[in-house]
Amino acid sequence: VSAPSARLSAARASQRAEHKERMARGSSAGYDRHITIFSPEGRLYQVEYAFKAIKTSGLTSVGVRGADSCVVLTQRKVPDKLYDPESVTNMYAITPNIGLVMTGIVPDARASVKKLREEAAKFKFNNGYDIPVSYLAKRAADTAQVYTQHANMRPLGIAMIIIGIDVEGEKKVPQLFRCDPAGYYVGYKATSAGAKEQEANNFLEKRFKPPAGSNVAVDPKLSHDDTVQLALACLQNVLGADLKANDIEACVVRHDNLAFTRLSADELETQLTALAERDDDIAGRD
């Protein structure tokens, strides 16, 4: 076989391999290489891949808003036996009274937390009062959305669930927001993020299902204990196993203690024991 014939055969083989790869990738071929280019179906594949990156952590997080408190809860996994367990966390305080749980790529989460802390400090310096939870969520979403517009950036592979209590005169309002890589944010009664997000949302929707003949979901006035136990029941249900205090981490904000506070192992154990003794709608055994 002559050298030109060999080169021609190799080129054809390469073209066939490239064609097979293009066919295997389907309609996303070429359109997932640039974040600023829409596919013919109107999709931004890199943003969709960022949502998938959230699930690669293998963790599931839950947030629930009650009448006088909010809780965020997530799994606690230490990937290496040599790690100091106390240094592994997905819970971050942005201000003393506002905090969040990050689910997804940890370096992205820490970079985002740093920016949000700067944003909150700047707001307080300029205005003389603490940043409202809704405005902090808006700023987080604005930043995430900008990352979908420029070719020299990439979306953050994280979903954040933010909690806090806004003080409006004599009124204290629990707030729960979720922000995703596309820059979309909205307030929730309860929400989740991570590997088992769909299953967790299905569980929570049943707890908040609208009464017969109505399309508006109920807003039960959950006490602090009910709020924490609903989040625990949700995570326990989607994981399909009984939780242990050392396998989870939870933080709360309350009317009588506005600070973003981490629940100790003993407090979590108490709530898990109380949950095990329940047999009602919150426990998920209806």
Side-chain angles (χ1 to χ4, degrees):
V1 181
S2 64
S5 297
R7 286 196 294 271
L8 182 60
S9 297
R12 287 174 177 171
S14 176
Q15 288 175 351
R16 285 195 295 269
E18 185 178 344
H19 177 71
K20 286 182 180 179
E21 180 186 357
R22 195 177 294 120
M23 292 297 290
R25 291 167 63 189
S27 61
S28 70
Y31 294 100
D32 62 352
R33 299 187 182 185
H34 302 281
I35 194 172
T36 55
I37 298 178
F38 283 97
S39 74
E41 295 82 22
R43 298 165 66 179
L44 288 172
Y45 286 99
Q46 287 295 327
V47 177
E48 293 182 20
Y49 297 160
F51 279 86
K52 292 182 179 180
I54 295 170
K55 301 181 186 296
T56 60
S57 65
L59 303 179
T60 302
S61 304
V62 178
V64 180
R65 188 187 74 194
D68 60 355
S69 62
C70 288
V71 61
V72 280
L73 175 73
T74 191
Q75 294 171 262
R76 183 187 184 93
K77 290 184 180 179
V78 182
D80 193 309
K81 292 181 180 179
L82 296 178
Y83 286 1
D84 178 3
E86 296 302 316
S87 68
V88 179
T89 183
N90 290 295
M91 300 286 183
Y92 302 92
I94 304 301
T95 71
N97 298 339
I98 301 176
L100 50 78
V101 58
M102 289 284 196
T103 312
I105 301 174
V106 175
D108 283 7
R110 290 178 174 169
S112 184
V113 165
K114 178 177 179 292
K115 290 182 179 179
L116 290 178
R117 285 171 176 167
E118 292 173 355
E119 189 74 41
K122 182 179 178 181
F123 183 94
K124 186 168 184 178
F125 179 81
N126 290 336
N127 299 282
Y129 61 94
D130 289 332
I131 188 170
V133 183
S134 59
Y135 187 75
L136 181 68
K138 177 183 181 301
R139 294 299 299 155
D142 288 347
T143 300
Q145 203 281 327
V146 167
Y147 281 25
T148 70
Q149 297 180 28
H150 299 280
N152 64 333
M153 297 179 177
R154 67 163 175 82
L156 298 173
I158 51 173
M160 62 182 77
I161 301 175
I162 309 171
I163 62 170
I165 293 182
D166 285 339
V167 180
E168 303 171 358
E170 297 296 322
K171 191 177 180 182
K172 297 178 181 178
V173 185
Q175 300 278 15
L176 172 69
F177 285 85
R178 183 183 187 274
C179 179
D180 63 31
Y184 179 75
Y185 82 102
V186 70
Y188 282 89
K189 298 170 185 175
T191 188
S192 64
K196 300 282 188 178
E197 176 182 336
Q198 188 57 56
E199 295 90 333
N201 283 342
N202 290 341
F203 178 92
L204 293 168
E205 285 173 6
K206 291 178 182 177
R207 312 278 87 69
F208 290 84
K209 60 186 175 185
S214 172
N215 294 323
V216 181
V218 296
D219 189 7
K221 301 300 182 182
L222 301 174
S223 67
H224 170 257
D225 287 342
D226 286 348
T227 304
V228 174
Q229 289 168 29
L230 176 57
L232 289 169
C234 177
L235 194 58
Q236 193 162 260
N237 182 276
V238 300
L239 296 179
D242 291 338
L243 295 175
K244 297 180 181 178
N246 292 330
D247 296 335
I248 53 179
E249 52 181 341
C251 290
V252 298
V253 289
R254 307 175 60 176
H255 276 190
D256 55 1
N257 181 12
L258 299 180
F260 184 70
T261 306
R262 184 183 297 271
L263 295 181
S264 66
D266 290 341
E267 289 173 313
L268 284 171
E269 200 62 59
T270 300
Q271 295 288 358
L272 286 168
T273 302
L275 175 63
E277 295 172 352
R278 298 183 73 142
D279 190 14
D280 59 6
D281 189 56
I282 286 178
R285 303 187 186 94
D286 49 335

